[in-house]
Amino acid sequence: MSIRARALAAGLAFWLPVALQIAHASTVVDAKALSDQTQGKNWLAYGRNFYEQRYSPLTQINTESVKRLGLAWNMPLPRDNSLVGTPLAIDGVLYFTGSWSVTRAVDARTGKLLWEFDPKSIEHAGERLRNMWDSSRGLAYWKGVVVIATIDGRLIAIDAKTGKQRWSTQTTDPSKPFYISGHPKVFRGLVFVGNGGTEQSAARGYVSAYHITTGKLAWKWYVVPGNPADGFEDPSQEMAAKTWTGEWWKFGGGGNVWNGITYDPEFNQVLIGTGNGSPWNRKVRSPGGGDNLFLCSVVALDADTGKYKWHYQTVPGETWDYNSSMDIVLADLDLEGKKVKAALHAPKNGFFYVLDRSNGKLLKADKFAQVNWATGVDLKTGRPIEREGARYEDGEELIYPSPFGAHGWHAMSYSPRTGWVYIPKQEIPAVFNDTKVKMVDWRSPYFNFDPGVGMGLDNDVPKDVAKSSLMAWDPVKQAKVWEVAQPEFWNAGTMVTAGDVVFQGGVTGEFAAYDARNGTKLWSVNVGSGISAPPITYEVDGKQYVSLLVGFGGAGTSIAGGTAMAQFGWAYRAQERQLYTFALDGKAPMPKVGPPTFPKPIVPADFKVDPSLASKGSELYVGQCVWCHGSGAVSGGYAPDLRASAIPLSLEAFKAVVVGGAKVPNGMPKFSDLRDEDLKAIQNFVRHQAEVTTKAADKAAAQ
Ligand code: CA
């Protein structure tokens, strides 16, 4: 052998193990990997893999060992606010999106930051910031590329190793108030995304898919039909238009796909859960009635072309802000001896649906929560049996569930071991009344849009307004198996493992593990701050970890808010946000994140509330401010409590922030069209609310 050959052989011998090591360490995240339900090392996608079950086959942490769970490490996130996302775990690296879609890669063993990517969402959003929250629920990964969807509507591909941008595509019309809070999904070389925002102006919901290598548009599908005079984009639009009446296109129609997206590898289809009508009230949107397709439906689209395949509409003629935007879980069920490729779905409306996903046929639909808008679902026709009066045709109606739903976007999980679904369930009513709404004159301008036609957001949301629970549900028997009561609403999404442990965090700040078989609480830790994100689990170097983002956030803490949420003390910026990672025998001390804080409303002796100004201010508040500052000006923690803020006390300071945009970098939008008299009216409403809520609190304390 020549010296050269020997050197080469030696070199190969030297390089081979290293090469093998690298090959071993890097998982190729493609359709094969994302279809593999048996690997437990990585959490590769939003619902762990294509099946969206949030079920992990890992067993190191199990019903016996879980009591040894302790903190392995924590990563403080001082600039973040609303943390609702599902991180991904790939080959020992965690990837997650924080507030304003800021994305980080972190060593999963130590919490060491590897890179951070700031898409500068606030700057990109510009004036559209007024229609956006900071929350981002997740991201996607495909062959070494991380894909994020920014709150302002961009898809951005990032190199997973370096954190450098590869491409960026604006997926929404920047002249419309679309935003993205949901996760993108990658399959077969395409990245797919929906959007939100049709409640903020007249806009038409749609979904779109882009080539993963270039960011170029592959296909687009509209959820609702446009003006027939402009022609239809495809036959499904023509079919849908037959179910609308009046001049619906003037109101946009709505129907965004803002959350539930599942890729089904067995039928090469994307299952999307569509949103509510815009506006909510069908009498305005489609005055002659009609089912209004494809609102509030599960729709299957061909994954390669975006062509319509089938749909099942959970709420024909939606009029309560009901969505089918909740997660869609794929599972193989044995139904009365028949093997079924099922899609499991528990949308806002309170019914649990089992669909045959080969054709969209409804197999089962039963109430899983308190429901009074319908008495049941006719399995023959697939249609709900509506209760008379439920459409608030005779004036005020108390309806269960509320627009917050019996189940929101907080993900459910499914264990193939128990065959049960673990649902974060909530029971909260809403009052609907449209007797004062002028249907004929109703307009949906960009400014002063009221999404809740007939539903008041000008009052505090009181304590104990809701009941909630973690519920194990049998989708075959369509029955509750066990239930653990929880306070209020807005408890977070769940995860279940082959160790028969269900994990969930909630509004009290408790992160807990339950026995998947009977609901017994096996372990818990209080993280000292409200939890709004679901946990994930993964394995590095033979050790199983559980990671969780903590930052009280989302609609429960923003548009809802009120005393129901404020009672826990998770006031705006009061507790530092964290990424926690737990493991067996973890010994790291829990960090001090800041004490529970209860903003004290200011009631100045020299301010006399003008009732007519306060009433005008209430309308403006509900149109603009309530989205972040909470119902009745009682903040749930997403934004400062205006009753306790010194800023609205001085009209000059108030104007500098609201009209001048002094706090835009913090995420407080600029409302340059608000006039001095508008500010004065809002000021009076805030002072009125400070007085009313202080009196109510004093009365409660005296009792
Ligand atoms: Ca809605």
Side-chain angles (χ1 to χ4, degrees):
M1 190 188 273
S2 72
I3 289 169
R4 197 165 168 249
R6 265 208 303 270
L8 201 62
L12 273 178
F14 175 76
W15 283 109
L16 203 59
V18 178
L20 273 178
Q21 216 175 9
I22 290 166
H24 174 72
S26 88
T27 302
V28 178
V29 180
D30 56 7
K32 189 164 166 268
L34 285 159
S35 303
D36 180 5
Q37 292 174 276
T38 60
Q39 80 78 26
K41 198 179 73 137
N42 295 322
W43 190 286
L44 296 174
Y46 187 66
R48 208 181 80 82
N49 54 36
F50 282 149
Y51 290 81
E52 300 296 321
Q53 293 176 351
R54 290 179 183 261
Y55 166 81
S56 167
L58 296 180
T59 56
Q60 191 176 86
I61 300 167
N62 54 48
T63 51
E64 288 302 311
S65 65
V66 68
K67 56 182 177 290
R68 288 166 39 213
L69 209 56
L71 187 66
W73 55 263
N74 66 291
M75 180 188 196
L77 300 165
R79 285 176 291 132
D80 287 77
N81 181 32
S82 189
L83 293 175
V84 299
T86 300
L88 305 181
I90 296 145
D91 299 334
V93 179
L94 289 178
Y95 303 90
F96 67 96
T97 46
S99 289
W100 307 113
S101 318
V102 171
T103 305
R104 299 175 184 94
V106 170
D107 186 318
R109 289 161 299 195
T110 61
K112 182 179 163 255
L113 181 72
L114 302 175
W115 56 256
E116 179 176 299
F117 179 86
D118 184 353
K120 308 268 180 218
S121 298
I122 292 176
E123 285 101 296
H124 274 85
E127 290 270 326
R128 291 178 295 148
L129 192 60
R130 64 202 287 166
N131 301 113
M132 291 165 195
W133 291 313
D134 72 354
S135 329
S136 171
R137 283 187 299 278
L139 67 175
Y141 190 103
W142 182 267
K143 294 180 182 173
V145 178
V146 171
V147 188
I148 63 166
T150 66
I151 200 80
D152 56 288
R154 286 168 294 156
L155 270 181
I156 301 177
I158 305 164
D159 186 293
K161 282 239 152 50
T162 63
K164 296 270 180 301
Q165 179 178 310
R166 288 210 181 158
W167 54 257
S168 170
T169 298
Q170 181 72 37
T171 71
T172 55
D173 177 351
S175 74
K176 299 241 159 78
F178 286 112
Y179 62 84
I180 303 177
S181 58
H183 72 285
K185 179 135 277 155
V186 189
F187 47 79
R188 290 167 67 93
L190 297 178
V191 49
F192 176 92
V193 76
N195 46 57
T198 61
E199 288 175 312
Q200 279 88 345
S201 87
R204 201 179 158 201
Y206 65 89
V207 292
S208 44
Y210 302 81
H211 294 285
I212 183 78
T213 46
T214 60
K216 296 264 182 306
L217 182 73
W219 54 259
K220 185 171 182 176
W221 186 80
Y222 286 97
V223 176
V224 295
N227 185 350
D230 300 335
F232 296 110
E233 289 85 359
D234 60 77
S236 67
Q237 301 300 314
E238 193 170 0
M239 170 177 128
K242 294 191 175 93
T243 67
W244 291 74
T245 54
E247 297 178 303
W248 71 86
W249 55 90
K250 291 190 173 165
F251 305 108
N256 313 74
V257 177
W258 56 270
N259 183 62
I261 302 166
T262 298
Y263 172 70
D264 176 351
E266 289 166 74
F267 298 96
N268 191 36
Q269 58 194 2
V270 202
L271 303 182
I272 55 173
T274 68
N276 56 278
S278 173
W280 296 355
N281 194 328
R282 187 182 64 171
K283 291 172 216 167
V284 175
R285 197 177 68 227
S286 186
D291 287 353
N292 293 184
L293 291 173
F294 294 96
L295 297 179
C296 222
S297 303
V298 175
V299 183
L301 302 174
D302 181 278
D304 295 335
T305 62
K307 289 238 167 7
Y308 165 90
K309 286 178 72 177
W310 54 257
H311 78 277
Y312 173 73
Q313 189 173 42
T314 53
V315 184
E318 188 295 296
T319 201
W320 306 273
D321 186 35
Y322 288 161
N323 287 207
S324 261
S325 310
M326 288 65 240
D327 43 343
I328 302 162
V329 175
L330 308 184
D332 291 339
L333 296 189
D334 192 334
L335 293 182
E336 290 92 38
K338 196 175 163 243
K339 296 252 184 282
V340 175
K341 296 279 176 200
L344 311 180
H345 188 48
K348 277 186 181 182
N349 75 17
F351 287 90
F352 192 100
Y353 297 88
V354 180
L355 300 174
D356 178 342
R357 61 182 212 264
S358 71
N359 55 19
K361 191 175 179 295
L362 177 68
L363 301 174
K364 286 176 187 281
D366 292 275
K367 288 181 186 178
F368 68 89
Q370 191 168 354
V371 171
N372 74 358
W373 70 276
T375 55
V377 176
D378 182 336
L379 287 184
K380 280 210 182 71
T381 61
R383 298 180 73 86
I385 304 150
E386 279 182 25
R387 174 179 64 82
E388 208 177 310
R391 287 183 179 268
Y392 41 105
E393 49 275 66
D394 314 313
E396 193 162 286
E397 284 289 333
L398 183 81
I399 300 289
Y400 277 93
S402 81
F404 286 95
H407 172 221
W409 55 261
H410 296 293
M412 59 189 195
S413 55
Y414 168 77
S415 167
R417 277 171 60 82
T418 58
W420 302 335
V421 182
Y422 301 91
I423 309 173
K425 181 185 105 169
Q426 51 193 22
E427 289 175 339
I428 171 170
V431 173
F432 285 84
N433 186 347
D434 62 10
T435 48
K436 288 193 188 122
V437 176
K438 290 190 192 122
M439 303 293 164
V440 184
D441 298 340
W442 199 87
R443 293 287 180 274
S444 63
Y446 182 84
F447 177 63
N448 210 13
F449 179 83
D450 179 3
V453 181
M455 185 195 157
L457 293 167
D458 50 346
N459 293 314
D460 185 13
V461 181
K463 259 188 201 177
D464 303 323
V465 70
K467 281 196 294 186
S468 63
S469 65
L470 168 63
M471 183 174 68
W473 176 265
D474 184 330
V476 173
K477 292 187 185 139
Q478 287 286 88
K480 175 177 93 180
V481 188
W482 56 256
E483 188 168 20
V484 177
Q486 291 171 335
E488 301 298 350
F489 60 108
W490 212 245
N491 290 295
T494 70
M495 168 180 82
V496 61
T497 71
D500 286 332
V501 185
V502 181
F503 287 91
Q504 188 199 21
V507 289
T508 62
E510 183 186 64
F511 180 48
Y514 303 86
D515 189 320
R517 298 162 300 187
N518 53 35
T520 304
K521 194 191 282 182
L522 303 169
W523 169 88
S524 76
V525 63
N526 198 303
V527 299
S529 181
I531 302 166
S532 302
I536 65 161
T537 189
Y538 52 92
E539 185 191 290
V540 189
D541 301 337
K543 193 172 191 173
Q544 184 181 354
Y545 294 91
V546 173
S547 289
L548 175 76
L549 283 164
V550 175
F552 204 38
T557 72
S558 51
I559 193 167
T563 303
M565 288 292 127
Q567 65 175 304
F568 301 107
W570 319 134
Y572 179 66
R573 298 264 163 221
Q575 290 90 25
E576 186 175 61
R577 283 20 187 162
Q578 300 279 339
L579 170 60
Y580 289 101
T581 292
F582 301 90
L584 294 183
D585 308 316
K587 294 281 188 287
M590 290 297 288
K592 293 213 179 343
V593 294
T597 303
F598 305 90
K600 196 169 162 22
I602 305 168
V603 184
D606 57 348
F607 193 104
K608 183 136 176 27
V609 173
D610 177 328
S612 79
L613 273 179
S615 157
K616 190 186 160 222
S618 152
E619 274 175 46
L620 287 162
Y621 183 87
V622 168
Q624 311 297 321
C625 324
V626 75
W627 293 90
C628 300
H629 291 280
S631 291
V634 183
S635 171
Y638 177 80
D641 193 308
L642 296 183
R643 300 168 308 151
S645 166
I647 293 170
L649 285 173
S650 143
L651 273 179
E652 205 179 320
F654 201 28
K655 192 173 177 177
V657 171
V658 179
V659 182
K663 295 207 181 280
V664 165
N666 295 6
M668 166 62 198
K670 187 173 152 175
F671 295 83
S672 43
D673 42 3
L674 281 182
R675 299 157 303 176
D676 287 1
E677 61 253 48
D678 297 330
L679 294 177
K680 215 166 165 200
I682 297 170
Q683 181 189 47
N684 271 268
F685 173 68
V686 170
R687 294 278 67 85
H688 173 261
Q689 287 305 103
E691 279 180 21
V692 169
T693 52
T694 300
K695 268 187 205 145
D698 289 350
K699 202 176 152 198
Q703 273 169 359

